Amino acid sequence: MIFGLILGLGACATWGVILWWSERDAMTGPWPPEQGNIPTALWSWGLTILIYVGLFQTWTVPTGPWAWLIWTIALSIGFAGSALQTWGMANLRLAGTSGWDVGVYTCGAYAWSRHPQYVGQAAGFLGFAILLGHLPGWIISVAAMVTLYAAAQVEEAALEARNPDYATYKARVPFLLGKPA
């Protein structure tokens, strides 16, 4: 369990450093890259996978009379989040989810949220936290959700700097999730 906590928090902290560095200069920071490339896709997806591996390393199966309710709530939140994340990923395709600049995408899931992948992934982390039901799982999940929020903020700055039409999209579509204006 301790290994999972260290692994998950270490990946979140590494993302945090990358995002801090990127926030200092939206045009040349490592995330999102000015021009996508395979190494960036590998480290960005690799760090994200390590967060999930850290969570799985802390896995304990809920038991007791309320286990069915825990499973139901956690899986409902997790599956809904996964569906939203998958919808966003399908809209942008792999290149767009790996850091390549694909411009401002305004259709599909991106008509309802400026960051549907992150909202969906955060819901997945919340589902994991509920399912795991212990402090290490909650710590990793909350750290991952904070990291996702920071990533969305950094990407907003980069999108505004790189795409003049982003301000119009930003005024119309909610940051997290909601009905477009």
Side-chain angles (χ1 to χ4, degrees):
M1 189 173 292
I2 296 298
F3 174 74
L5 184 62
I6 292 169
L7 185 64
L9 289 179
C12 287
T14 303
W15 256 119
V17 169
I18 290 166
L19 294 170
W20 172 80
W21 178 11
S22 298
E23 183 181 40
R24 301 178 68 74
D25 187 355
M27 295 303 286
T28 61
W31 189 260
E34 191 170 1
Q35 182 176 1
N37 55 66
I38 298 298
T40 300
L42 291 174
W43 68 252
S44 64
W45 279 101
L47 285 172
T48 302
I49 289 167
L50 288 178
I51 295 169
Y52 285 105
V53 171
L55 277 171
F56 282 115
Q57 289 292 318
T58 69
W59 183 266
T60 57
V61 177
T63 59
W66 296 99
W68 67 271
L69 183 60
I70 293 168
W71 278 95
T72 302
I73 292 169
L75 291 178
S76 296
I77 293 170
F79 284 140
S82 181
L84 180 59
Q85 181 183 5
T86 301
W87 187 22
M89 291 173 72
N91 292 151
L92 286 184
R93 309 213 189 325
L94 185 58
T97 65
S98 300
W100 272 263
D101 186 357
V102 293
V104 179
Y105 198 87
T106 61
C107 299
Y110 288 87
W112 294 90
S113 170
R114 295 196 309 264
H115 302 282
Q117 291 181 67
Y118 291 158
V119 173
Q121 196 170 18
F125 284 126
L126 177 61
F128 271 121
I130 292 168
L131 185 61
L132 295 172
H134 55 65
L135 189 58
W138 276 98
I139 290 171
I140 294 169
S141 294
V142 169
M145 287 186 271
V146 168
T147 302
L148 290 169
Y149 181 78
Q153 294 289 331
V154 169
E155 287 184 17
E156 289 262 318
L159 284 165
E160 285 183 294
R162 297 174 187 172
N163 299 287
D165 54 342
Y166 191 75
T168 304
Y169 171 68
K170 186 176 178 179
R172 189 175 49 82
V173 177
F175 181 74
L176 294 178
L177 195 60
K179 186 175 182 179

